[in-house]
Amino acid sequence: MTTAENISNLSDTTKDFISSPRKMLLNGQWVTSASGKMFDTLDPATGEVIVQVAEGDKEDIDRAVAAARKAFDDGPWPAMTSTARERCMHRLADLMEENADILAELEALDNGKNVAIARAVDIQVAIDFIRYMAGWPTKITGNVLPLSVPYAPDAKFLGYTLREPVGVVGQIIPWNFPVLMCSWKLGPALASGCTVVLKPAEETPLTALYMGELVCQAGFPDGVVNIIPGYGHTAGAALTVHPEVDKISFTGSTEVGKIIVKAAADTMKNVTMELGGKSPAIILPDADLEVAIPGAASAIFFNQGQVCCAGSRLFVPDNLYDEVIAGLAEAADGMKIGCGLDPENMINPLVSQIQFDRVMGYIESGRAEGAEVVAGGGRRGDKGYFVEPTILANTNRDMKVVREEIFGPVVCVQRYQDIDEVAKLANDTVYGLGASIWTRDVGNIINIVPKIRSGTVWVNCHNILDVVMPFGGYKQSGFGKDMGQQALEGYLETKSVCIMA
Ligand code: ADP
């Protein structure tokens, strides 16, 4: 298939959206970049150009931050009543729901992922999260404080706290779940009264720009949400050092996260980091393999393994090893590979040539270090970025494929003997984002869950995310939470007020 053929099957609205170059959303207006530069966004199934997009750089970031600053300092957004802010956010969620099929098509085209899964998972959770966050503005409250002030016994005091928005927020998001990340970032920022400059990943700008259209229709005041596509080292970097930006919320690799934390330190920005992972999936000796084998397969192969909490290290006890490997290989070999716009295809292309080369390089490195390739291991087709679902067996802690995040459909299987050792093996990584254990024994759950150093532990499931469940990392997987009530905390300051009578 060519990209033109892929596009010919899409809805008229989607076709229309990509029929001409896309601009950036700055202060409520769709504008070209200051430099006039554009970049191509590519179809990962073919490597061909979908459409050109305005390429933001420092000057555009400066203009967007000025607009966001004005909307925060003098504009209506933080000053608006909380019920009015809620109504705006509900309108956005309603518009996302009305346009969900378009968002899913654009996501599948730009990222490569399965369109039906995009609609059911990415887009639906994104809508639900904006709606969940839309309920918060009326419920953000401080406390009344029972002050004592022992050194002023004759005075009377009233003490209380106010929760106030952090200010102008720079949000930098990755390409693996573009709409969902957009929603994770916009939701708590808007609910708390912050204004935003959001930079989508250069690989997948289209759905964030479509979200920009919906933001305009929903009636947010100008400058509250600015969407500036562009590259990380230019537009992204400009945002992280901008003195008028109060907070950076970033989702992406640990490597880039470290650069951003250092860049943001100069102006002492509030920072939230949702970074990489090398999450363990641990099958315990009593696990129900009818559940655990397909579960472990989905833990790694969902979204082609381009998931920060993917179950990329699989721990299997000696006595179940052969059965699990055979079952997993059967599952991998049975997955239909192809373009994401056909919902039958469960393994879709990786997002880019760079990602494809990276993942293929890791598979070669695994082979060279002695891992046994029991399924996949190769490219599929001669165009697009398709990599077969791959199982590397007999891996060990010293291998590069076990230590580093691959971010592709590649699982490293490790055997273990002693159940008392397994939490230690699982924790043997610099990351701490997610983990799953597979067991029928409640004693195992009670015993092992507290020993695992990660922000989420799933039991008999993996990659389950919900709008009310905080998501974020321990260790080098980052700090701060997306989703749940805790996501708001990152966008709120606490002001103490003390009144003397
Ligand atoms: P991945 O490894 O998943 O491609 P990255 O961490 O490289 O993810 O990128 C995630 C986001 O961070 C993207 O929007 C990218 O443009 C941005 N980014 C990359 N480098 C920088 C940087 N130096 N400063 C700010 N943002 C960056």
Side-chain angles (χ1 to χ4, degrees), residues 172-176 199-203 230-238 240 250-257 259-260 355 358 407:
I172 300 174
I173 60 173
W175 43 259
N176 57 342
K199 192 202 81 64
E202 51 270 40
E203 294 85 352
Y231 291 95
H233 63 281
T234 54
T240 62
F250 171 73
T251 296
S253 60
T254 293
E255 189 190 350
V256 171
I259 295 172
I260 292 180
Q355 195 58 16
R358 212 176 108 105
F407 224 63

Side-chain angles (χ1 to χ4, degrees), residues 255-403:
E255 189 190 350
V256 171
K258 288 178 185 176
I259 295 172
I260 292 180
V261 169
K262 286 177 193 153
D266 247 0
T267 43
M268 209 50 89
K269 297 188 197 320
N270 174 320
V271 181
T272 296
M273 290 279 136
E274 201 269 272
L275 307 174
K278 193 75 187 176
S279 299
I282 307 165
I283 296 182
L284 294 179
D286 71 294
D288 177 354
L289 292 190
E290 305 245 319
V291 177
I293 290 173
S298 146
I300 183 64
F301 299 135
F302 170 61
N303 213 44
Q304 296 63 251
Q306 301 170 130
V307 179
C308 47
C309 52
S312 51
R313 290 181 299 141
L314 178 64
F315 292 93
V316 185
D318 247 347
N319 63 323
L320 301 179
Y321 192 80
D322 293 341
E323 194 178 347
V324 169
I325 291 283
L328 207 56
E330 196 185 332
D333 292 339
M335 295 180 93
K336 210 168 156 215
I337 304 178
C339 173
L341 290 166
D342 176 349
E344 297 286 304
N345 293 327
M346 297 311 286
I347 291 285
N348 314 120
L350 301 185
V351 76
S352 64
Q353 181 73 48
I354 290 177
Q355 195 58 16
F356 174 85
D357 292 342
R358 212 176 108 105
V359 172
M360 292 303 289
Y362 273 113
I363 295 173
E364 280 324 303
S365 146
R367 273 201 182 98
E369 285 189 296
E372 186 192 348
V373 181
V374 293
R379 172 178 202 169
R380 185 63 64 88
D382 54 10
K383 70 172 176 178
Y385 315 126
F386 297 92
V387 174
E388 293 168 335
T390 299
I391 300 169
L392 302 180
N394 293 326
T395 60
N396 64 60
R397 67 178 299 281
D398 298 321
M399 293 178 175
K400 185 170 146 148
V401 281
V402 171
R403 306 212 71 77

